[in-house]
Amino acid sequence: MERSSTTSGGSARREATRQKLYEAAVTLIAEQGFSATTVDEIAERAGVAKGTVYYNFASKSVLFEELLRHGVGLLSASLREAAERTAGAGGGKVDALDAMVRAGLVFIDRYPAFTQLYVAELWRTNRAWQSTLLVVRQQAVAVVEDVLREGVDNEEFSAEIDIPLTAAALVGMVLVAALDWQAFQPERSLDDVHAALSRLLQGRVSGHC
């Protein structure tokens, strides 16, 4: 997963190492599960010494927790940027939501292993990082909530919209549809999937058939 543009020159090397560890961890855990994946395997896949893993992360659990923060942070940023670009171009809130749907699909297409892990972990309740997962989930959903709230305020959307539930439903729609696309309908293009979700969005959120 890509390095943030905010990384300072002094920490670039450490951030590059952490990126390698994120990539190795997400790939291995997607392949064989969290419990079956060892720190030795993560280090070997990343091409670093085992001690490097512990230098950057206190444990495998901490590494995975930070991986969740990192991945959802990238997703949230891509959603926010899509909404801001749409606003800058003079688009409405439905246009912003549609741009966010596409940004979500692009993210999932680029990071399918992370998305699979994230969705799987949402259904688990016995993980040490459950509280962190709830926080990062809300981080992504809140970006959509902001756009919905602004749409209600300017009367583009109905005041009867349940903003938290609608935002969660939109994020969930993109996640599940994208995973279904990749697993069962890989012949479809990203444009095709986006068009289908766009039609659903236009009908259900904007209130037009």
Side-chain angles (χ1 to χ4, degrees):
M1 304 181 80
E2 66 188 9
R3 178 159 50 92
S4 169
S5 61
T6 60
T7 302
S8 65
S11 61
R13 181 173 298 178
R14 184 179 183 188
E15 277 301 305
T17 298
R18 290 168 74 92
Q19 296 300 321
K20 290 181 182 179
L21 293 172
Y22 287 144
E23 292 283 0
V26 74
T27 303
L28 286 167
I29 295 171
E31 290 174 354
Q32 58 195 31
F34 178 82
S35 298
T37 299
T38 67
V39 171
D40 288 305
E41 289 174 320
I42 293 172
E44 182 179 0
R45 180 68 66 93
V48 301
K50 181 178 180 179
T52 301
V53 179
Y54 289 114
Y55 175 76
N56 286 275
F57 305 99
S59 66
K60 183 177 70 170
S61 292
V62 171
L63 167 56
F64 190 68
E65 185 173 350
E66 290 302 312
L67 172 61
L68 290 173
R69 290 183 184 276
H70 177 71
V72 177
L74 288 177
L75 172 59
S76 300
S78 68
L79 296 179
R80 187 176 297 106
E81 289 166 5
E84 290 174 350
R85 283 197 306 270
T86 303
K93 297 309 175 186
V94 173
D95 298 320
L97 291 174
D98 187 56
M100 294 166 84
V101 166
R102 184 173 185 85
L105 291 173
V106 169
F107 175 88
I108 294 165
D109 188 46
R110 185 171 187 179
Y111 305 119
F114 171 79
T115 306
Q116 292 168 15
L117 287 180
Y118 173 69
V119 172
E121 290 302 317
L122 284 175
W123 295 101
R124 301 181 188 275
T125 59
N126 61 341
R127 298 296 206 191
W129 51 79
Q130 185 66 23
S131 60
T132 296
L133 186 61
L134 293 176
V135 170
V136 297
R137 169 202 169 275
Q138 184 54 35
Q139 178 183 347
V141 172
V143 179
V144 183
E145 286 182 355
D146 289 344
V147 173
L148 288 171
R149 191 169 292 108
E150 291 167 2
V152 170
D153 290 343
N154 67 18
E155 300 183 344
E156 187 172 346
F157 302 145
S158 168
E160 296 180 357
I161 287 180
D162 184 322
I163 292 175
L165 186 58
T166 301
L170 287 172
V171 172
M173 174 186 74
V174 174
L175 289 172
V176 174
L179 291 178
D180 184 88
W181 159 42
Q182 294 179 335
F184 303 112
Q185 306 179 66
E187 71 281 0
R188 286 179 176 267
S189 67
L190 190 150
D191 287 340
D192 187 26
V193 176
H194 174 225
L197 296 185
S198 181
R199 285 190 290 272
L200 180 61
L201 172 70
Q202 294 287 339
R204 297 307 181 191
V205 176
S206 68
H208 300 297
C209 297

